[in-house]
Each structure stands twice: as C-alpha cells, then as structure tokens.
Amino acid sequence: MSLELSPLAFPGIEMKRPVIISGPCSAETEEQVMDTATQLSKKGIKIFRAGIWKPRTKPGGFEGIGVQGLPWLQRVKSELGMLTATEVATPKHVEAALGAGVDILWIGARTVANPFAMQELADSLRGADVPVLVKNPVNPDLELWIGGLERINGAGIKRLGVIHRGFSSYDKRLYRNLPMWHIPIELHRRYPNLPIFGDPSHIGGARELVAPLCQQAMDLGFDGLIIESHCNPDCAWSDAAQQVTPDILDYILNLLVIRETNQSTENLNELRK
Ligand code: PEP
Ligand code: MN
C-alpha cells in the first residue's frame, strides 16, 4: 500500500543530511534538561529530544517524569528556540504533548509492535498537524513496521518519518539491538520518500559504538540521526551506558564523512534546491 506523504519539513530547520535530533533518554530534572539543551544549542543542535514517559522493561525503574516535565520542554523551546520531540505511547500522552506544544512526536519500538496500541494512537492523532517518527518494532518484522506507518498515515498524518533503532535479540555480544540493515534498506526501497533516521544509541547500547553506527547510517543514505546526549551521562536515570555529552556528540558529528547519495528522499532533495 502506498503512503500519502508530504515533506518532513520541520519549521526553521534546514533539512540537510544529516538532520540531527539529540537530547537525553529521559527528562529527569529541570536543571538536567536546561543544562543539556543549552550545551546542545551552543553546538548548533536545533532539535531536542527527551523522553517524558519511559517504557521500561521491568517495573521499579524510572518510568519517566510525566507531565511535570512538559513545561521544561516549553522552556527549551521559548528560551533556546529549539524544536522539541518526545515519545508518545497512549492517547493521553498525545493529548498532553500536543497541549504543551511539543513539535515532533515519536512512537517507541514496543508500541509499534502492538497494532491495537498503534490504532489507538492513530485515532488520537486524527486532525493533528504534527510530524510523527515511527520507530521500528522491537521484533524484526518489516510488515508490522509498515502496518504501523499505514495506521498513522491513515489518520491523516502526512509528515511521517521512521527511526531505525535495531531489533531485540537474546544475542547481546556487541549490539544492544541488532541493526539488521537490510530491513531499513528494504523499507527505503519500497518507500523512497520516507525519511529515515538512524538511532545509534539504542542500536549500540554503548557510547563507543555511537560514532561507527552514525557513519554506517550515513553511508547507507539515511536522512538523519537521533542520538542520546546528557550533561552527565554516567548519572543518567535511564540508558546511562549509551549517552554521550554534548561535547562528545559534537566531536562525533564532526568526524562524520557525508557523501552525497544519488537516491536520497525526493522531498529532502526538493528542500535542498
Ligand atoms: C527512547 O528513544 O528513549 C526509547 C525508549 O527508544 P526505543 O523505543 O527505541 O526503545
Ligand atoms: Mn533511551
């Protein structure tokens, strides 16, 4: 089935490869959010991510600060002029995030694996004009990923993109989530206009893997990268091992070799003219 897409244009952002989204796994405190965002902004990052609601494998961990953190994202927007992005997993999250003026929503891997949850989210997004990034489901099922995209698109969301964050496996020797690059490559073959972001943080699960995974994503013609960063990664309340400081992020981005792709997404090519 074809998707009805319009260009994934983020207001005020030059959609030049790679479009970078960065920020902590979780919004923890107002100070941590503002400190991280200020440092990122000084490095030229324009889109800030922070999880407000966190899907955790086991109960008892930090499950996100919740609506209390939304005003912090509003501060990032008003004081630093950055766009903000957060994860939504339920219609309540959608309502709260849109009510707080969050600019970009993403749907997490565990949610995308559940068609009922995806349909509920799609229904709650109907009529909203917001860009949505759909992560791959935790299991390596391209059709399930596409089904999720169809549900969101069917609700009238045309500014769609995807995030490749790798696939769960019992095998955790190197990667936290196996990249299985052939899956996003096949998705791109079928939907060449659908922008793809690489998520080296969740694929690698480790700081030292962020740089090579960013380069691999760029070599495969990905359009953007979503990279977790934190003002004090070792003390992060979630995903500490994979977060980098804004300084290290800047170092990693400067190392990247960006080659022109001959078949980048049509809409990004349009914007580049
Ligand atoms: C996240 O982006 O912090 C997150 C929870 O990701 P995923 O859904 O890929 O596990
Ligand atoms: Mn995370």
Side-chain angles (χ1 to χ4, degrees), residues 249-268:
L249 174 78
D250 186 54
Y251 176 80
I252 290 171
L253 294 178
N254 281 317
L255 280 181
L256 282 179
V257 177
I258 313 290
R259 295 182 203 85
E260 272 301 310
T261 52
N262 51 10
Q263 208 211 354
S264 184
T265 62
E266 209 173 82
N267 48 20
L268 291 175

Side-chain angles (χ1 to χ4, degrees), residues 25 49 54-55 87 106 108-110 135 165 202 228:
C25 179
R49 64 148 283 157
K54 299 303 301 178
E87 171 173 346
W106 84 78
R110 292 158 191 80
K135 286 196 162 193
R165 50 77 81 197
H202 290 92
E228 287 189 340

Side-chain angles (χ1 to χ4, degrees), residues 120-231:
E120 279 184 8
L121 274 181
D123 295 342
S124 73
L125 283 162
R126 195 170 288 282
D129 181 23
V130 64
V132 177
L133 304 177
V134 178
K135 286 196 162 193
N136 62 261
V138 278
N139 51 323
D141 185 338
L142 179 58
E143 301 309 324
L144 189 59
W145 196 359
I146 292 172
L149 287 160
E150 286 177 357
R151 288 178 198 277
I152 302 299
N153 193 228
I157 301 293
K158 294 187 179 159
R159 282 191 291 159
L160 268 183
V162 297
I163 299 172
H164 172 231
R165 50 77 81 197
F167 300 92
S168 273
S169 157
Y170 193 64
D171 173 2
K172 302 253 189 288
R173 271 170 300 181
L174 177 56
Y175 297 117
R176 179 179 178 194
N177 292 293
L178 299 179
M180 299 188 180
W181 298 104
H182 54 293
I183 294 177
I185 289 172
E186 172 59 10
L187 181 68
H188 180 63
R189 189 189 67 79
R190 293 200 212 172
Y191 299 98
N193 295 333
L194 187 62
I196 304 188
F197 287 74
D199 179 344
S201 313
H202 290 92
I203 293 177
R207 264 164 233 164
E208 66 272 23
L209 293 175
V210 172
L213 286 164
C214 284
Q215 186 63 56
Q216 274 179 288
M218 294 325 296
D219 288 349
L220 289 170
F222 282 27
D223 302 289
L225 298 165
I226 178 165
I227 306 169
E228 287 189 340
S229 57
H230 192 290
C231 54

